[in-house]
Amino acid sequence: MTLSVAVAGASGYAGGELLRILAAHPDVTITTVTAHSNAGQPLVAAQPHLRSLEHLALVDTTPENLAGHDVVFVALPHGKSGELTDHLGDEALVIDCGADHRLTSEDDWDKFYGGEFYGAWAYGLPELLLTDGSRQRERLVGARRIAVPGCNVTAITLGLAPGIQAGLLQPQDLVSVLAVGTSGAGKALKPHLLASEIHGSAMPYAVGGTHRHTPEIVQNLAAAGGEGASISFTPVLVPMSRGILATSTAQIVPGVALSDLQAAWEQAYAAEPFVSVLPAGEFPKTADVLGANTALMGLALDEATGRVVVVSAIDNLVKGTAGAAVQSMNIALALPEATGLTTNGVAP
């Protein structure tokens, strides 16, 4: 059976990446693409690289236009997804790539986002390790509402969760600094993202614990066994279109050796199709995962400070957003998990 799919927010970067992946998925047919200011235009006017979808035109993002599909992907700014998804009924599988359904705590939502709290959906990070030894994947089977994680959240969570779950790391005083591609800021015109501003420069943002992904990271690491987890993370915009390189550090439990850490991470991800731990002493580049639904990571032990250093790389638009959404769809609908997704990047 071929599934009919609609993508809301199809003119943006996340929407475009969803369409690129879904266009090659053998079990779906993209029937509806929606936008706001671009409604009425051909899809290829907004996404000229999607030549196989040139027959589609963008329509207004309304519940009526999204009704009647088997799967609806929503790639809208926070606050907009919840307004829409409340009106989509119970028949379709709805996958939200925005923030509106990620957090379980209304207090955290009020502090970091504000506005109406729409409640948490099944969390779309299949590889997330849980305290009881299971994985989040099991909670996605048969789900009808799925919230895709934030891209920074995915890079940090996958990098630190194995050590937390194995009891090798202290969950407090976690630190992460991320080099982030500009597509993570969306497609809307913003002066600080102009080529003349970002070219040849690096620019931190949301410094000092203010980034909206902070409570989501803590929520994930607590689910992995990190009771009382705390993290300071600083994203830095760098002049590349795609990618996140997260350098995360944590205090090790006394007596833990690098070999213990390497073994724990390798065991945690040994059976995962989209997460790979590099051999000891090797570290990933963002170029290694460009266009792939892959997370790569390498570990080191800073013996002088007693801290593990985990360097993880993802493509923020694929494993960080659209790839995770399609991977979660496959699991929810009992399709082979890797259908339509690739571990091969694009080089050079």
Side-chain angles (χ1 to χ4, degrees):
M1 182 183 72
T2 300
L3 301 163
S4 64
V5 170
V7 176
S11 61
Y13 287 137
E17 195 68 3
L18 275 165
L19 292 169
R20 184 182 73 86
I21 295 170
L22 290 167
H25 196 296
D27 298 310
V28 309
T29 298
I30 302 163
T31 57
T32 302
V33 289
T34 82
H36 177 53
S37 59
N38 292 306
Q41 297 182 11
L43 174 65
V44 291
Q47 307 286 9
H49 61 298
L50 299 177
R51 305 314 302 179
S52 70
L53 302 177
E54 62 182 351
H55 59 286
L56 294 174
L58 294 161
V59 298
D60 287 324
T61 302
T62 65
E64 293 76 18
N65 284 333
L66 296 172
H69 296 84
D70 296 310
V71 186
V72 178
F73 292 92
V74 182
L76 299 175
H78 80 268
K80 301 299 183 182
S81 297
E83 292 176 3
L84 182 70
T85 56
D86 272 358
H87 303 285
L88 293 183
D90 299 326
E91 293 184 6
L93 167 59
V94 182
I95 301 176
D96 186 9
C97 295
D100 288 10
H101 301 285
R102 296 171 183 164
L103 296 182
T104 59
S105 166
E106 186 170 357
D107 289 341
D108 284 341
W109 177 264
D110 290 341
K111 179 178 179 181
F112 284 88
Y113 290 93
E116 185 172 350
F117 178 65
Y118 292 98
W121 287 356
Y123 192 67
L125 186 57
E127 301 90 351
L128 176 60
L129 299 158
L130 302 176
T131 306
D132 62 4
S134 65
R135 298 184 190 236
Q136 184 62 21
R137 172 180 289 105
E138 299 169 25
R139 289 152 178 78
L140 294 173
V141 176
R144 305 306 292 170
R145 294 290 187 271
I146 296 173
V148 178
C151 53
N152 297 309
V153 179
T154 296
I156 295 172
T157 298
L158 293 178
L160 291 176
I164 297 289
Q165 201 268 347
L168 302 178
L169 305 181
Q170 304 286 358
Q172 296 80 30
D173 189 27
L174 307 172
V175 178
S176 189
V177 178
L178 299 83
V180 181
T182 55
S183 60
K187 207 172 185 179
L189 179 62
K190 299 169 185 174
H192 72 286
L193 298 179
L194 294 172
S196 56
E197 299 291 334
I198 195 66
H199 182 71
S201 181
M203 184 186 318
Y205 64 100
V207 179
T210 62
H211 198 288
R212 288 167 168 162
H213 287 173
T214 300
E216 191 182 342
I217 297 165
V218 171
Q219 177 178 290
N220 289 350
L221 296 180
E227 184 177 353
S230 62
I231 187 166
S232 174
F233 90 94
T234 305
V236 180
L237 282 176
V238 297
M240 62 184 183
S241 297
R242 292 171 177 254
I244 294 176
L245 189 74
T247 302
S248 304
T249 76
Q251 194 78 36
I252 61 171
V253 171
V256 171
L258 177 58
S259 58
D260 301 321
L261 298 167
Q262 185 76 22
W265 264 255
E266 290 178 353
Q267 181 178 353
Y269 295 131
E272 291 294 345
F274 297 114
V275 184
S276 294
V277 180
L278 300 179
E282 295 184 16
F283 301 94
K285 310 182 300 295
T286 56
D288 300 337
V289 296
L290 182 66
N293 193 51
T294 304
L296 297 180
M297 62 192 69
L299 288 79
L301 176 59
D302 184 342
E303 295 184 358
T305 62
R307 297 183 75 89
V308 67
V309 180
V310 186
V311 180
S312 51
I314 63 169
D315 184 323
N316 59 295
L317 292 178
V318 189
K319 186 56 178 165
T321 309
V326 174
Q327 184 181 348
S328 296
M329 176 194 75
N330 289 339
I331 296 169
L333 298 177
L335 299 171
E337 186 171 336
T339 304
L341 299 167
T342 182
T343 56
N344 295 327
V346 178

